[in-house]
Short mmCIF file of all heavy atoms in Angstrom, two decimals:
data_model
loop_
_atom_site.label_atom_id
_atom_site.label_comp_id
_atom_site.label_asym_id
_atom_site.label_seq_id
_atom_site.Cartn_x
_atom_site.Cartn_y
_atom_site.Cartn_z
N MET M 1 -25.77 -17.31 39.59
CA MET M 1 -24.69 -17.44 38.62
C MET M 1 -24.16 -18.86 38.63
O MET M 1 -24.34 -19.58 39.59
CB MET M 1 -23.58 -16.43 38.91
CG MET M 1 -22.84 -16.65 40.21
SD MET M 1 -21.81 -15.24 40.69
CE MET M 1 -20.65 -15.20 39.33
N ARG M 2 -23.55 -19.20 37.51
CA ARG M 2 -23.00 -20.55 37.39
C ARG M 2 -21.51 -20.47 37.13
O ARG M 2 -21.05 -19.65 36.33
CB ARG M 2 -23.67 -21.27 36.21
CG ARG M 2 -24.35 -22.54 36.58
CD ARG M 2 -25.20 -23.01 35.44
NE ARG M 2 -24.38 -23.38 34.28
CZ ARG M 2 -23.94 -24.60 34.04
NH1 ARG M 2 -24.26 -25.59 34.85
NH2 ARG M 2 -23.21 -24.88 32.99
N VAL M 3 -20.75 -21.31 37.80
CA VAL M 3 -19.30 -21.31 37.64
C VAL M 3 -18.88 -22.68 37.14
O VAL M 3 -19.33 -23.70 37.66
CB VAL M 3 -18.61 -20.99 38.98
CG1 VAL M 3 -17.10 -21.15 38.86
CG2 VAL M 3 -18.95 -19.59 39.44
N VAL M 4 -18.06 -22.68 36.11
CA VAL M 4 -17.50 -23.93 35.60
C VAL M 4 -15.99 -23.77 35.52
O VAL M 4 -15.50 -22.78 34.97
CB VAL M 4 -18.06 -24.28 34.20
CG1 VAL M 4 -17.42 -25.55 33.68
CG2 VAL M 4 -19.57 -24.43 34.25
N VAL M 5 -15.28 -24.71 36.10
CA VAL M 5 -13.82 -24.72 35.97
C VAL M 5 -13.43 -25.90 35.09
O VAL M 5 -13.84 -27.03 35.36
CB VAL M 5 -13.13 -24.83 37.34
CG1 VAL M 5 -11.61 -24.89 37.16
CG2 VAL M 5 -13.51 -23.66 38.23
N ASP M 6 -12.70 -25.62 34.05
CA ASP M 6 -12.19 -26.69 33.19
C ASP M 6 -10.98 -27.31 33.89
O ASP M 6 -9.88 -26.79 33.84
CB ASP M 6 -11.79 -26.10 31.83
CG ASP M 6 -11.42 -27.20 30.85
OD1 ASP M 6 -11.12 -28.34 31.30
OD2 ASP M 6 -11.42 -26.94 29.64
N LEU M 7 -11.25 -28.42 34.55
CA LEU M 7 -10.20 -29.04 35.37
C LEU M 7 -9.11 -29.67 34.52
O LEU M 7 -8.02 -29.97 35.02
CB LEU M 7 -10.82 -30.07 36.32
CG LEU M 7 -11.77 -29.45 37.36
CD1 LEU M 7 -12.45 -30.53 38.18
CD2 LEU M 7 -11.03 -28.49 38.28
N ALA M 8 -9.39 -29.84 33.23
CA ALA M 8 -8.33 -30.33 32.33
C ALA M 8 -7.33 -29.23 32.03
O ALA M 8 -6.19 -29.49 31.66
CB ALA M 8 -8.95 -30.85 31.03
N VAL M 9 -7.78 -27.97 32.19
CA VAL M 9 -6.92 -26.82 31.91
C VAL M 9 -6.27 -26.30 33.20
O VAL M 9 -5.14 -25.83 33.19
CB VAL M 9 -7.76 -25.71 31.23
CG1 VAL M 9 -6.95 -24.43 31.08
CG2 VAL M 9 -8.26 -26.19 29.87
N CYS M 10 -7.01 -26.39 34.30
CA CYS M 10 -6.55 -25.86 35.59
C CYS M 10 -5.20 -26.46 35.95
O CYS M 10 -4.99 -27.66 35.86
CB CYS M 10 -7.58 -26.22 36.66
SG CYS M 10 -7.01 -25.91 38.33
N GLN M 11 -4.29 -25.59 36.36
CA GLN M 11 -2.94 -26.02 36.72
C GLN M 11 -2.70 -25.94 38.23
O GLN M 11 -1.57 -26.08 38.68
CB GLN M 11 -1.91 -25.15 36.00
CG GLN M 11 -1.97 -25.26 34.49
CD GLN M 11 -1.57 -26.65 34.02
OE1 GLN M 11 -0.57 -27.19 34.45
NE2 GLN M 11 -2.37 -27.24 33.14
N GLY M 12 -3.76 -25.64 38.98
CA GLY M 12 -3.60 -25.59 40.43
C GLY M 12 -2.79 -24.42 40.93
O GLY M 12 -2.11 -24.53 41.95
N TYR M 13 -2.85 -23.30 40.22
CA TYR M 13 -2.08 -22.13 40.65
C TYR M 13 -2.66 -21.48 41.91
O TYR M 13 -2.00 -20.69 42.56
CB TYR M 13 -2.03 -21.08 39.55
CG TYR M 13 -1.18 -21.47 38.38
CD1 TYR M 13 -1.74 -21.62 37.12
CD2 TYR M 13 0.18 -21.69 38.52
CE1 TYR M 13 -0.97 -21.98 36.03
CE2 TYR M 13 0.96 -22.06 37.44
CZ TYR M 13 0.38 -22.21 36.20
OH TYR M 13 1.13 -22.56 35.13
N ALA M 14 -3.93 -21.75 42.18
CA ALA M 14 -4.60 -21.28 43.41
C ALA M 14 -4.86 -19.79 43.46
O ALA M 14 -5.17 -19.26 44.51
CB ALA M 14 -3.83 -21.73 44.65
N GLN M 15 -4.72 -19.11 42.34
CA GLN M 15 -5.09 -17.69 42.33
C GLN M 15 -6.56 -17.54 42.71
O GLN M 15 -6.93 -16.62 43.44
CB GLN M 15 -4.89 -17.10 40.92
CG GLN M 15 -3.46 -17.10 40.46
CD GLN M 15 -2.60 -16.19 41.29
OE1 GLN M 15 -3.05 -15.18 41.79
NE2 GLN M 15 -1.35 -16.56 41.45
N CYS M 16 -7.40 -18.43 42.20
CA CYS M 16 -8.83 -18.34 42.46
C CYS M 16 -9.12 -18.56 43.94
O CYS M 16 -9.93 -17.85 44.53
CB CYS M 16 -9.57 -19.34 41.60
SG CYS M 16 -9.00 -21.04 41.81
N ALA M 17 -8.45 -19.52 44.53
CA ALA M 17 -8.68 -19.83 45.94
C ALA M 17 -8.24 -18.67 46.84
O ALA M 17 -8.79 -18.45 47.90
CB ALA M 17 -7.94 -21.11 46.32
N PHE M 18 -7.25 -17.93 46.36
CA PHE M 18 -6.77 -16.78 47.11
C PHE M 18 -7.75 -15.61 47.00
O PHE M 18 -8.04 -14.93 47.98
CB PHE M 18 -5.39 -16.38 46.57
CG PHE M 18 -4.81 -15.17 47.23
CD1 PHE M 18 -4.36 -15.23 48.54
CD2 PHE M 18 -4.71 -13.97 46.55
CE1 PHE M 18 -3.82 -14.11 49.15
CE2 PHE M 18 -4.18 -12.85 47.15
CZ PHE M 18 -3.74 -12.92 48.45
N LEU M 19 -8.30 -15.42 45.81
CA LEU M 19 -9.17 -14.25 45.58
C LEU M 19 -10.62 -14.51 45.97
O LEU M 19 -11.34 -13.58 46.31
CB LEU M 19 -9.09 -13.85 44.10
CG LEU M 19 -7.74 -13.23 43.71
CD1 LEU M 19 -7.59 -13.16 42.21
CD2 LEU M 19 -7.59 -11.85 44.32
N ALA M 20 -11.07 -15.74 45.89
CA ALA M 20 -12.45 -16.07 46.24
C ALA M 20 -12.47 -17.37 47.06
O ALA M 20 -12.93 -18.41 46.59
CB ALA M 20 -13.30 -16.20 44.98
N PRO M 21 -11.96 -17.30 48.28
CA PRO M 21 -11.80 -18.52 49.09
C PRO M 21 -13.12 -19.20 49.45
O PRO M 21 -13.13 -20.38 49.77
CB PRO M 21 -11.07 -18.02 50.34
CG PRO M 21 -11.26 -16.55 50.38
CD PRO M 21 -11.47 -16.10 48.97
N ASP M 22 -14.23 -18.46 49.38
CA ASP M 22 -15.52 -19.09 49.68
C ASP M 22 -16.02 -19.94 48.52
O ASP M 22 -16.87 -20.81 48.70
CB ASP M 22 -16.56 -18.03 50.01
CG ASP M 22 -16.28 -17.37 51.35
OD1 ASP M 22 -15.57 -18.00 52.18
OD2 ASP M 22 -16.74 -16.24 51.57
N ALA M 23 -15.51 -19.67 47.34
CA ALA M 23 -16.00 -20.38 46.16
C ALA M 23 -15.01 -21.43 45.66
O ALA M 23 -15.42 -22.44 45.08
CB ALA M 23 -16.30 -19.38 45.04
N PHE M 24 -13.71 -21.18 45.85
CA PHE M 24 -12.70 -22.09 45.32
C PHE M 24 -11.78 -22.54 46.45
O PHE M 24 -11.42 -21.74 47.30
CB PHE M 24 -11.83 -21.39 44.26
CG PHE M 24 -12.63 -20.84 43.11
CD1 PHE M 24 -12.98 -19.50 43.09
CD2 PHE M 24 -13.00 -21.65 42.05
CE1 PHE M 24 -13.72 -18.98 42.04
CE2 PHE M 24 -13.72 -21.13 40.99
CZ PHE M 24 -14.09 -19.80 40.98
N ARG M 25 -11.43 -23.80 46.42
CA ARG M 25 -10.55 -24.31 47.46
C ARG M 25 -9.67 -25.40 46.86
O ARG M 25 -10.14 -26.26 46.13
CB ARG M 25 -11.39 -24.91 48.58
CG ARG M 25 -10.56 -25.43 49.73
CD ARG M 25 -11.45 -25.77 50.90
NE ARG M 25 -12.39 -24.67 51.18
CZ ARG M 25 -13.47 -24.79 51.93
NH1 ARG M 25 -13.79 -25.94 52.45
NH2 ARG M 25 -14.25 -23.75 52.13
N LEU M 26 -8.41 -25.32 47.18
CA LEU M 26 -7.50 -26.38 46.73
C LEU M 26 -7.41 -27.42 47.82
O LEU M 26 -7.14 -27.11 48.97
CB LEU M 26 -6.11 -25.80 46.46
CG LEU M 26 -5.90 -25.20 45.07
CD1 LEU M 26 -4.47 -24.71 44.96
CD2 LEU M 26 -6.20 -26.18 43.97
N SER M 27 -7.64 -28.66 47.45
CA SER M 27 -7.47 -29.73 48.43
C SER M 27 -6.45 -30.70 47.86
O SER M 27 -6.75 -31.48 46.97
CB SER M 27 -8.79 -30.42 48.71
OG SER M 27 -9.21 -31.15 47.60
N GLY M 28 -5.26 -30.59 48.35
CA GLY M 28 -4.20 -31.44 47.83
C GLY M 28 -3.64 -30.86 46.55
O GLY M 28 -4.18 -29.90 46.02
N PRO M 29 -2.57 -31.43 46.07
CA PRO M 29 -1.91 -30.90 44.88
C PRO M 29 -2.82 -30.98 43.66
O PRO M 29 -3.25 -32.05 43.28
CB PRO M 29 -0.67 -31.79 44.71
CG PRO M 29 -0.70 -32.78 45.79
CD PRO M 29 -1.92 -32.59 46.63
N GLU M 30 -3.09 -29.80 43.09
CA GLU M 30 -3.89 -29.70 41.87
C GLU M 30 -5.29 -30.26 42.00
O GLU M 30 -5.93 -30.61 41.02
CB GLU M 30 -3.17 -30.38 40.70
CG GLU M 30 -1.85 -29.71 40.43
CD GLU M 30 -1.17 -30.26 39.19
OE1 GLU M 30 -1.87 -30.83 38.34
OE2 GLU M 30 0.03 -30.09 39.08
N GLY M 31 -5.80 -30.36 43.23
CA GLY M 31 -7.16 -30.82 43.42
C GLY M 31 -8.05 -29.66 43.77
O GLY M 31 -8.20 -29.31 44.94
N LEU M 32 -8.64 -29.04 42.76
CA LEU M 32 -9.46 -27.86 43.00
C LEU M 32 -10.90 -28.28 43.26
O LEU M 32 -11.48 -29.03 42.50
CB LEU M 32 -9.41 -26.93 41.78
CG LEU M 32 -10.23 -25.65 41.94
CD1 LEU M 32 -9.58 -24.72 42.95
CD2 LEU M 32 -10.40 -24.95 40.60
N MET M 33 -11.46 -27.77 44.37
CA MET M 33 -12.88 -27.94 44.64
C MET M 33 -13.51 -26.58 44.50
O MET M 33 -12.91 -25.57 44.87
CB MET M 33 -13.10 -28.46 46.06
CG MET M 33 -12.15 -29.54 46.44
SD MET M 33 -12.89 -31.07 46.95
CE MET M 33 -14.26 -30.63 47.93
N TYR M 34 -14.74 -26.52 43.96
CA TYR M 34 -15.38 -25.23 43.81
C TYR M 34 -16.88 -25.37 43.87
O TYR M 34 -17.42 -26.46 43.68
CB TYR M 34 -14.95 -24.56 42.51
CG TYR M 34 -15.43 -25.25 41.25
CD1 TYR M 34 -16.54 -24.79 40.58
CD2 TYR M 34 -14.75 -26.36 40.75
CE1 TYR M 34 -16.99 -25.42 39.43
CE2 TYR M 34 -15.19 -26.98 39.61
CZ TYR M 34 -16.31 -26.50 38.94
OH TYR M 34 -16.75 -27.13 37.80
N ASP M 35 -17.53 -24.25 44.13
CA ASP M 35 -18.99 -24.21 44.21
C ASP M 35 -19.52 -23.82 42.83
O ASP M 35 -19.29 -22.70 42.39
CB ASP M 35 -19.38 -23.18 45.27
CG ASP M 35 -20.89 -23.06 45.41
OD1 ASP M 35 -21.61 -23.76 44.67
OD2 ASP M 35 -21.33 -22.28 46.27
N PRO M 36 -20.21 -24.71 42.15
CA PRO M 36 -20.69 -24.40 40.80
C PRO M 36 -21.88 -23.45 40.78
O PRO M 36 -22.21 -22.90 39.72
CB PRO M 36 -21.07 -25.77 40.23
CG PRO M 36 -21.36 -26.61 41.42
CD PRO M 36 -20.53 -26.08 42.55
N GLY M 37 -22.50 -23.23 41.93
CA GLY M 37 -23.66 -22.33 41.96
C GLY M 37 -23.59 -21.34 43.10
O GLY M 37 -24.46 -21.32 43.97
N PRO M 38 -22.56 -20.52 43.13
CA PRO M 38 -22.41 -19.59 44.25
C PRO M 38 -23.47 -18.49 44.22
O PRO M 38 -24.02 -18.19 43.15
CB PRO M 38 -21.02 -19.00 44.04
CG PRO M 38 -20.78 -19.11 42.58
CD PRO M 38 -21.51 -20.33 42.13
N ASP M 39 -23.74 -17.89 45.37
CA ASP M 39 -24.74 -16.83 45.37
C ASP M 39 -24.12 -15.53 44.86
O ASP M 39 -22.90 -15.38 44.76
CB ASP M 39 -25.38 -16.66 46.75
CG ASP M 39 -24.39 -16.26 47.81
OD1 ASP M 39 -23.67 -15.28 47.62
OD2 ASP M 39 -24.36 -16.96 48.85
N ASP M 40 -25.00 -14.59 44.52
CA ASP M 40 -24.56 -13.36 43.86
C ASP M 40 -23.65 -12.50 44.72
O ASP M 40 -22.94 -11.65 44.21
CB ASP M 40 -25.77 -12.56 43.41
CG ASP M 40 -26.15 -12.90 41.98
OD1 ASP M 40 -25.56 -13.86 41.43
OD2 ASP M 40 -27.01 -12.20 41.41
N GLY M 41 -23.70 -12.72 46.03
CA GLY M 41 -22.83 -11.95 46.91
C GLY M 41 -21.35 -12.20 46.63
O GLY M 41 -20.50 -11.38 46.97
N GLN M 42 -21.06 -13.31 46.00
CA GLN M 42 -19.67 -13.65 45.71
C GLN M 42 -19.25 -13.25 44.31
O GLN M 42 -18.13 -13.52 43.89
CB GLN M 42 -19.47 -15.16 45.87
CG GLN M 42 -19.73 -15.66 47.27
CD GLN M 42 -19.40 -17.13 47.37
OE1 GLN M 42 -18.29 -17.55 47.13
NE2 GLN M 42 -20.40 -17.92 47.71
N ARG M 43 -20.16 -12.62 43.58
CA ARG M 43 -19.92 -12.35 42.17
C ARG M 43 -18.61 -11.59 41.91
O ARG M 43 -17.81 -11.97 41.08
CB ARG M 43 -21.08 -11.56 41.58
CG ARG M 43 -20.87 -11.21 40.13
CD ARG M 43 -21.78 -10.09 39.71
NE ARG M 43 -23.15 -10.39 40.02
CZ ARG M 43 -24.11 -10.53 39.12
NH1 ARG M 43 -23.83 -10.36 37.87
NH2 ARG M 43 -25.33 -10.79 39.48
N ALA M 44 -18.39 -10.50 42.65
CA ALA M 44 -17.21 -9.67 42.40
C ALA M 44 -15.93 -10.47 42.62
O ALA M 44 -15.01 -10.42 41.81
CB ALA M 44 -17.24 -8.44 43.30
N ALA M 45 -15.91 -11.23 43.71
CA ALA M 45 -14.71 -12.02 44.02
C ALA M 45 -14.49 -13.08 42.95
O ALA M 45 -13.36 -13.34 42.52
CB ALA M 45 -14.85 -12.65 45.40
N ILE M 46 -15.57 -13.69 42.50
CA ILE M 46 -15.44 -14.77 41.51
C ILE M 46 -15.01 -14.21 40.16
O ILE M 46 -14.17 -14.81 39.47
CB ILE M 46 -16.77 -15.54 41.42
CG1 ILE M 46 -16.93 -16.40 42.68
CG2 ILE M 46 -16.79 -16.41 40.17
CD1 ILE M 46 -18.28 -17.01 42.85
N LEU M 47 -15.54 -13.06 39.78
CA LEU M 47 -15.10 -12.45 38.52
C LEU M 47 -13.62 -12.07 38.60
O LEU M 47 -12.89 -12.21 37.62
CB LEU M 47 -15.96 -11.23 38.19
CG LEU M 47 -17.41 -11.55 37.82
CD1 LEU M 47 -18.20 -10.27 37.58
CD2 LEU M 47 -17.48 -12.45 36.59
N ARG M 48 -13.21 -11.60 39.76
CA ARG M 48 -11.78 -11.28 39.95
C ARG M 48 -10.95 -12.56 39.83
O ARG M 48 -9.89 -12.58 39.20
CB ARG M 48 -11.57 -10.66 41.33
CG ARG M 48 -11.06 -9.23 41.26
CD ARG M 48 -10.89 -8.65 42.64
NE ARG M 48 -12.15 -8.10 43.13
CZ ARG M 48 -12.63 -8.27 44.35
NH1 ARG M 48 -11.97 -8.96 45.25
NH2 ARG M 48 -13.79 -7.76 44.69
N ALA M 49 -11.43 -13.63 40.44
CA ALA M 49 -10.71 -14.90 40.39
C ALA M 49 -10.62 -15.41 38.95
O ALA M 49 -9.57 -15.86 38.50
CB ALA M 49 -11.40 -15.92 41.27
N ALA M 50 -11.74 -15.30 38.21
CA ALA M 50 -11.74 -15.76 36.82
C ALA M 50 -10.75 -14.95 35.99
O ALA M 50 -10.03 -15.49 35.15
CB ALA M 50 -13.15 -15.65 36.24
N ALA M 51 -10.70 -13.64 36.24
CA ALA M 51 -9.79 -12.79 35.48
C ALA M 51 -8.34 -13.08 35.84
O ALA M 51 -7.44 -12.93 35.01
CB ALA M 51 -10.11 -11.32 35.75
N ALA M 52 -8.11 -13.51 37.07
CA ALA M 52 -6.74 -13.72 37.53
C ALA M 52 -6.20 -15.11 37.19
O ALA M 52 -4.99 -15.32 37.27
CB ALA M 52 -6.67 -13.52 39.04
N CYS M 53 -7.06 -16.01 36.82
CA CYS M 53 -6.60 -17.37 36.53
C CYS M 53 -5.62 -17.34 35.36
O CYS M 53 -5.96 -16.88 34.27
CB CYS M 53 -7.79 -18.27 36.19
SG CYS M 53 -7.26 -19.93 35.69
N PRO M 54 -4.40 -17.81 35.56
CA PRO M 54 -3.37 -17.70 34.53
C PRO M 54 -3.69 -18.49 33.27
O PRO M 54 -3.16 -18.18 32.21
CB PRO M 54 -2.12 -18.27 35.20
CG PRO M 54 -2.42 -18.36 36.65
CD PRO M 54 -3.90 -18.42 36.80
N VAL M 55 -4.53 -19.51 33.39
CA VAL M 55 -4.83 -20.33 32.20
C VAL M 55 -6.30 -20.20 31.78
O VAL M 55 -6.80 -20.96 30.97
CB VAL M 55 -4.48 -21.81 32.47
CG1 VAL M 55 -2.98 -21.98 32.59
CG2 VAL M 55 -5.17 -22.33 33.71
N GLN M 56 -6.99 -19.20 32.35
CA GLN M 56 -8.39 -18.93 32.02
C GLN M 56 -9.26 -20.20 32.06
O GLN M 56 -10.00 -20.48 31.13
CB GLN M 56 -8.49 -18.27 30.66
CG GLN M 56 -8.44 -16.75 30.78
CD GLN M 56 -7.46 -16.14 29.81
OE1 GLN M 56 -7.42 -16.54 28.67
NE2 GLN M 56 -6.69 -15.19 30.27
N ALA M 57 -9.14 -20.93 33.14
CA ALA M 57 -9.90 -22.16 33.28
C ALA M 57 -11.30 -21.91 33.84
O ALA M 57 -12.13 -22.81 33.81
CB ALA M 57 -9.15 -23.11 34.21
N ILE M 58 -11.56 -20.70 34.32
CA ILE M 58 -12.83 -20.43 35.00
C ILE M 58 -13.79 -19.73 34.07
O ILE M 58 -13.47 -18.68 33.51
CB ILE M 58 -12.58 -19.55 36.25
CG1 ILE M 58 -11.58 -20.22 37.19
CG2 ILE M 58 -13.91 -19.29 36.97
CD1 ILE M 58 -11.12 -19.34 38.33
N SER M 59 -14.97 -20.33 33.88
CA SER M 59 -16.04 -19.69 33.11
C SER M 59 -17.14 -19.29 34.06
O SER M 59 -17.54 -20.07 34.92
CB SER M 59 -16.63 -20.65 32.08
OG SER M 59 -15.62 -21.19 31.28
N VAL M 60 -17.65 -18.09 33.89
CA VAL M 60 -18.75 -17.60 34.72
C VAL M 60 -19.92 -17.31 33.80
O VAL M 60 -19.78 -16.57 32.83
CB VAL M 60 -18.36 -16.33 35.48
CG1 VAL M 60 -19.52 -15.83 36.32
CG2 VAL M 60 -17.13 -16.58 36.35
N GLU M 61 -21.05 -17.94 34.09
CA GLU M 61 -22.26 -17.72 33.29
C GLU M 61 -23.28 -16.99 34.14
O GLU M 61 -23.59 -17.42 35.24
CB GLU M 61 -22.84 -19.05 32.82
CG GLU M 61 -21.92 -19.78 31.88
CD GLU M 61 -22.38 -21.21 31.65
OE1 GLU M 61 -23.54 -21.53 31.95
OE2 GLU M 61 -21.54 -22.00 31.19
N GLN M 62 -23.76 -15.88 33.62
CA GLN M 62 -24.81 -15.15 34.32
C GLN M 62 -26.15 -15.71 33.87
O GLN M 62 -26.34 -15.95 32.69
CB GLN M 62 -24.76 -13.66 33.95
CG GLN M 62 -23.41 -13.04 34.17
CD GLN M 62 -23.06 -12.89 35.64
OE1 GLN M 62 -23.91 -13.04 36.49
NE2 GLN M 62 -21.81 -12.59 35.91
N PRO M 63 -27.09 -15.90 34.78
CA PRO M 63 -28.42 -16.36 34.39
C PRO M 63 -29.14 -15.29 33.60
O PRO M 63 -28.95 -14.10 33.84
CB PRO M 63 -29.11 -16.62 35.73
CG PRO M 63 -28.36 -15.81 36.72
CD PRO M 63 -26.96 -15.67 36.21
N GLN M 64 -29.95 -15.71 32.63
CA GLN M 64 -30.76 -14.77 31.87
C GLN M 64 -32.04 -14.51 32.65
O GLN M 64 -32.83 -15.42 32.85
CB GLN M 64 -31.13 -15.37 30.50
CG GLN M 64 -29.93 -15.68 29.64
CD GLN M 64 -29.23 -14.45 29.14
OE1 GLN M 64 -29.84 -13.41 28.98
NE2 GLN M 64 -27.94 -14.54 28.91
N PRO M 65 -32.29 -13.29 33.09
CA PRO M 65 -33.54 -13.01 33.81
C PRO M 65 -34.73 -13.26 32.89
O PRO M 65 -34.74 -12.78 31.75
CB PRO M 65 -33.42 -11.53 34.17
CG PRO M 65 -31.97 -11.19 34.00
CD PRO M 65 -31.42 -12.14 32.98
N ALA M 66 -35.73 -13.98 33.39
CA ALA M 66 -36.86 -14.39 32.56
C ALA M 66 -37.63 -13.20 32.03
O ALA M 66 -38.12 -13.21 30.91
CB ALA M 66 -37.77 -15.31 33.37
N ALA M 67 -37.74 -12.14 32.81
CA ALA M 67 -38.58 -11.01 32.42
C ALA M 67 -37.81 -9.96 31.61
O ALA M 67 -38.34 -8.93 31.28
CB ALA M 67 -39.16 -10.35 33.66
N ALA M 68 -36.58 -10.23 31.27
CA ALA M 68 -35.75 -9.19 30.67
C ALA M 68 -35.80 -9.19 29.14
O ALA M 68 -35.14 -8.39 28.52
CB ALA M 68 -34.31 -9.34 31.13
N GLY M 69 -36.56 -10.09 28.53
CA GLY M 69 -36.56 -10.21 27.08
C GLY M 69 -36.86 -8.92 26.34
O GLY M 69 -35.93 -8.23 25.91
N PRO M 70 -38.12 -8.52 26.20
CA PRO M 70 -38.45 -7.32 25.43
C PRO M 70 -37.88 -6.05 26.04
O PRO M 70 -37.38 -5.19 25.33
CB PRO M 70 -39.98 -7.29 25.48
CG PRO M 70 -40.40 -8.65 25.89
CD PRO M 70 -39.27 -9.23 26.68
N ALA M 71 -37.89 -5.96 27.35
CA ALA M 71 -37.38 -4.75 28.01
C ALA M 71 -35.89 -4.59 27.73
O ALA M 71 -35.42 -3.50 27.41
CB ALA M 71 -37.62 -4.84 29.51
N ALA M 72 -35.14 -5.69 27.81
CA ALA M 72 -33.71 -5.62 27.57
C ALA M 72 -33.44 -5.24 26.12
O ALA M 72 -32.56 -4.44 25.82
CB ALA M 72 -33.06 -6.95 27.89
N ALA M 73 -34.24 -5.79 25.18
CA ALA M 73 -34.05 -5.48 23.77
C ALA M 73 -34.31 -4.00 23.52
O ALA M 73 -33.56 -3.33 22.83
CB ALA M 73 -34.97 -6.34 22.92
N ALA M 74 -35.39 -3.48 24.11
CA ALA M 74 -35.73 -2.07 23.93
C ALA M 74 -34.64 -1.18 24.52
O ALA M 74 -34.20 -0.21 23.91
CB ALA M 74 -37.07 -1.77 24.59
N SER M 75 -34.17 -1.58 25.69
CA SER M 75 -33.13 -0.79 26.34
C SER M 75 -31.84 -0.81 25.54
O SER M 75 -31.19 0.22 25.33
CB SER M 75 -32.89 -1.36 27.73
OG SER M 75 -31.67 -0.90 28.23
N ALA M 76 -31.48 -1.99 25.01
CA ALA M 76 -30.26 -2.09 24.25
C ALA M 76 -30.37 -1.24 22.98
O ALA M 76 -29.42 -0.57 22.58
CB ALA M 76 -30.00 -3.55 23.88
N GLY M 77 -31.55 -1.26 22.36
CA GLY M 77 -31.74 -0.46 21.15
C GLY M 77 -31.60 1.02 21.46
O GLY M 77 -30.99 1.78 20.70
N GLY M 78 -32.16 1.44 22.59
CA GLY M 78 -32.11 2.84 22.95
C GLY M 78 -30.69 3.32 23.24
O GLY M 78 -30.30 4.38 22.81
N GLU M 79 -29.93 2.45 23.90
CA GLU M 79 -28.59 2.88 24.29
C GLU M 79 -27.59 2.74 23.15
O GLU M 79 -26.67 3.53 23.02
CB GLU M 79 -28.12 2.05 25.47
CG GLU M 79 -28.80 2.45 26.76
CD GLU M 79 -28.30 1.63 27.93
OE1 GLU M 79 -27.21 1.06 27.84
OE2 GLU M 79 -29.04 1.55 28.92
N GLY M 80 -27.82 1.72 22.32
CA GLY M 80 -26.80 1.44 21.32
C GLY M 80 -27.11 2.03 19.95
O GLY M 80 -26.32 1.92 19.03
N GLY M 81 -28.27 2.66 19.79
CA GLY M 81 -28.71 3.05 18.45
C GLY M 81 -28.35 4.47 18.07
O GLY M 81 -29.08 5.11 17.32
N HIS M 82 -27.26 4.99 18.52
CA HIS M 82 -26.92 6.37 18.18
C HIS M 82 -25.74 6.45 17.21
O HIS M 82 -24.96 7.37 17.19
CB HIS M 82 -26.65 7.19 19.43
CG HIS M 82 -25.49 6.67 20.25
ND1 HIS M 82 -24.19 6.97 19.94
CD2 HIS M 82 -25.46 5.87 21.32
CE1 HIS M 82 -23.41 6.35 20.80
NE2 HIS M 82 -24.15 5.68 21.64
N GLY M 83 -25.68 5.44 16.36
CA GLY M 83 -24.56 5.40 15.42
C GLY M 83 -24.55 6.56 14.44
O GLY M 83 -23.51 7.09 14.08
N ARG M 84 -25.71 6.98 13.98
CA ARG M 84 -25.79 8.06 13.01
C ARG M 84 -26.47 9.29 13.57
O ARG M 84 -27.44 9.18 14.22
CB ARG M 84 -26.62 7.60 11.81
CG ARG M 84 -25.81 6.73 10.93
CD ARG M 84 -26.61 6.49 9.67
NE ARG M 84 -25.70 5.92 8.68
CZ ARG M 84 -25.66 6.33 7.43
NH1 ARG M 84 -26.43 7.29 7.01
NH2 ARG M 84 -24.86 5.79 6.58
S1 LIG B 1 -6.54 -19.96 39.30
FE1 LIG B 1 -7.05 -21.20 37.49
S2 LIG B 1 -5.36 -22.65 37.32
FE2 LIG B 1 -5.29 -21.79 39.37
S3 LIG B 1 -6.43 -23.22 40.66
FE3 LIG B 1 -7.84 -21.62 39.99
S4 LIG B 1 -8.79 -22.44 38.14
FE4 LIG B 1 -6.96 -23.63 38.51
#
């Protein structure tokens, strides 16, 4: 997964550092350090941190699995195609 913090938006509230201390750390006033490529074991904590950020400065991007193209499309069609 990829994590991006918009440091122009971040206000240093430290909610993220509290909820995911392995991924986010405040060093000094409003100086946020973070791991842009944390491992998946931290996913839950990081998603919680992103949701808790008061100014929504944290973006989390999930990698697209290379083999998921046709299978994912077929699966999505099967699950989502019951409109009528
Ligand atoms: S919770 Fe949001 S505003 Fe606070 S330090 Fe983290 S990224 Fe910045």
Side-chain angles (χ1 to χ4, degrees):
M1 66 193 297
R2 237 168 66 93
V3 173
V4 178
V5 178
D6 187 341
L7 295 175
V9 173
C10 170
Q11 297 294 313
Y13 290 118
Q15 296 294 329
C16 55
F18 178 71
L19 290 166
D22 290 338
F24 303 97
R25 182 170 311 164
L26 275 181
S27 69
E30 299 186 21
L32 180 71
M33 317 238 319
Y34 67 99
D35 179 358
D39 62 53
D40 267 8
Q42 298 185 59
R43 178 198 306 244
I46 287 169
L47 291 177
R48 243 179 276 136
C53 175
V55 292
Q56 269 131 43
I58 303 171
S59 307
V60 180
E61 295 169 17
Q62 306 289 348
Q64 299 290 333
S75 163
E79 285 181 21
H82 61 82
R84 282 189 166 225

